[in-house]
Amino acid sequence: VFSIIIFFEQVRRFVVVANYNWKNNDTKQVICVDFDGVLHDYSKGKWVDYSIASGPEIPGAIRWLKSLVDNRRFIVKIYSYRSKWHEGHVAIRHWLKEHGLSERYLEKIEFPYYKPVSFVTIDDRCIKFDGKNYPSIEEIDGFESWLE
């Protein structure tokens, strides 16, 4: 039964990706926001596990997140490595409430268990691909997040 559920989830994801229209102005654009390193400063606290978020807010994060939600052109989805587990979702929501995000905003934000298809992803741990030049091994080896 578990294998069948996984199979159907994979098929559902494929269908969502295959039917996603990147340029449809009649629909809201999905903005995927990474939690750790974009909203939550994990460099200030010791990483315990995916169920605990104990670091401070990155200055201005909650105000910025509210502005995205208030814009109404966007569907905001918060995703993180910890999103794979229910306890990770609980930790993220608890942290957001603790740092001033009201239930009114939390109800409008989605918390997917997988990395969503999005118009844009805001993440502290990525290298932008320009369509031509792949990063060299040296660039990959030398990569540092802004938190490092």
Side-chain angles (χ1 to χ4, degrees):
V1 173
F2 186 68
S3 297
I4 293 170
I5 292 170
I6 290 173
F7 172 75
F8 283 116
E9 177 62 15
Q10 290 171 340
V11 169
R12 187 188 65 76
R13 286 185 203 168
F14 174 76
V15 170
V16 168
V17 171
N19 290 323
Y20 191 80
N21 185 346
W22 296 99
K23 297 293 182 184
N24 186 344
N25 293 328
D26 297 331
T27 60
K28 294 182 178 187
Q29 294 174 323
V30 174
I31 308 296
C32 178
V33 179
D34 178 43
F35 176 68
D36 294 300
V38 175
L39 305 174
H40 168 246
D41 186 345
Y42 61 88
S43 72
K44 303 278 193 251
K46 183 180 175 196
W47 174 264
V48 179
D49 69 24
Y50 54 85
S51 67
I52 298 171
S54 58
E57 172 190 357
I58 293 174
I62 298 299
R63 183 179 64 247
W64 172 77
L65 190 59
K66 286 178 180 179
S67 74
L68 284 180
V69 173
D70 287 340
N71 189 288
R72 297 184 186 207
R73 289 186 307 130
F74 305 123
I75 297 169
V76 178
K77 298 185 180 193
I78 296 177
Y79 177 75
S80 174
Y81 168 76
R82 64 178 80 229
S83 295
K84 297 173 186 165
W85 299 276
H86 174 73
E87 295 87 350
H89 284 244
V90 171
I92 291 170
R93 290 177 68 87
H94 176 76
W95 185 92
L96 290 167
K97 280 184 188 178
E98 194 174 78
H99 288 85
L101 199 65
S102 69
E103 195 62 41
R104 177 175 80 86
Y105 283 97
L106 287 169
E107 290 172 357
K108 295 177 182 176
I109 296 172
E110 295 181 23
F111 297 88
Y113 283 88
Y114 56 89
K115 187 174 183 178
V117 174
S118 62
F119 173 70
V120 69
T121 297
I122 293 107
D123 197 324
D124 65 307
R125 302 204 58 82
C126 63
I127 297 173
K128 182 180 177 182
F129 178 61
D130 66 9
K132 299 177 209 159
N133 303 302
Y134 290 91
S136 68
I137 300 300
E138 293 76 21
E139 288 173 306
I140 293 170
D141 287 342
F143 175 81
E144 290 185 354
S145 166
W146 74 272
L147 287 168
E148 298 175 84

